[in-house]
Amino acid sequence: MGGDRATRLSGQLPARSRLLPGEADLSQPDHSSAAVTRVVAGWLLRRPETLPEIDHLRLKAVLVHCPELDALTTHVRPFAQMLTERQGERLPQWLDAVRQDDLLSLHTLAAGIERDRDAVMAGFTLPWNSGVVEGHVNRIKMLKRQMFGRAGFALLRKRVLLAS
């Protein structure tokens, strides 16, 4: 249902002469709804001042035809700003605003945030993160997947210790 709406909306967008790498041509009728969704999501998640003028106009056209996306934009951009600028003190007001709107997917997100509110607030406000540890865990899991079914624990241990 949402993909059909995106396909219909994309046919109404103004065409652009040159595409950026990895960008779907929204002026062509044979594009997939997943590509359109990805492009529109990229427009919504970028800072408005960094959008090229043509993309800004295209986003405006999509938002005019889809009030749900327009409402979603009013919540997504402040959330991204809170996250990137470490403004965790604004989270309670954001959660209240989300609960007042009729966007079920955001209600689910808000409920998940509420369940682990202290951790989310810490992530939004504190300068520390577990990125380095997660990177090592990801690297070890990759090595484990590469070794799956080939040798025992001793060889896997050696690869983890020697791979750096």
Side-chain angles (χ1 to χ4, degrees), residues 54-160:
I54 189 71
D55 289 343
H56 186 70
L57 292 173
R58 291 174 133 190
L59 177 59
K60 193 181 271 189
V62 169
L63 296 179
V64 163
H65 288 89
C66 187
E68 294 91 359
L69 267 180
D70 196 20
L72 181 69
T73 303
T74 64
H75 296 296
V76 168
R77 286 189 172 152
F79 186 82
Q81 185 178 14
M82 278 190 301
L83 185 61
T84 57
E85 297 175 8
R86 298 203 181 278
Q87 298 174 340
E89 65 278 354
R90 292 179 33 208
L91 186 63
Q93 294 87 355
W94 184 85
L95 289 170
D96 291 339
V98 165
R99 285 190 206 102
Q100 292 171 2
D101 252 345
D102 192 28
L103 298 167
L104 295 180
S105 57
L106 282 183
H107 287 208
T108 305
L109 174 66
I113 288 173
E114 197 63 54
R115 274 193 303 272
D116 207 6
R117 189 178 192 147
D118 292 336
V120 174
M121 285 291 286
F124 271 40
T125 55
L126 300 176
W128 306 290
N129 65 55
S130 59
V132 174
V133 174
E134 292 298 328
H136 287 300
V137 169
N138 190 37
R139 180 181 56 84
I140 290 169
K141 285 182 177 182
M142 181 203 57
L143 290 170
K144 181 181 172 189
R145 279 191 298 272
Q146 288 176 343
M147 297 294 296
F148 185 75
R150 295 190 181 163
F153 179 74
L155 183 58
L156 175 62
R157 181 177 185 274
K158 222 171 231 185
R159 277 203 68 193
V160 167

Side-chain angles (χ1 to χ4, degrees), residues 27-49:
S27 64
Q28 300 301 318
D30 61 344
H31 57 273
S32 70
S33 61
V36 172
T37 303
R38 205 173 8 256
V39 170
V40 173
W43 293 339
L44 292 175
L45 294 174
R46 288 172 62 189
R47 293 180 189 265
E49 62 272 7

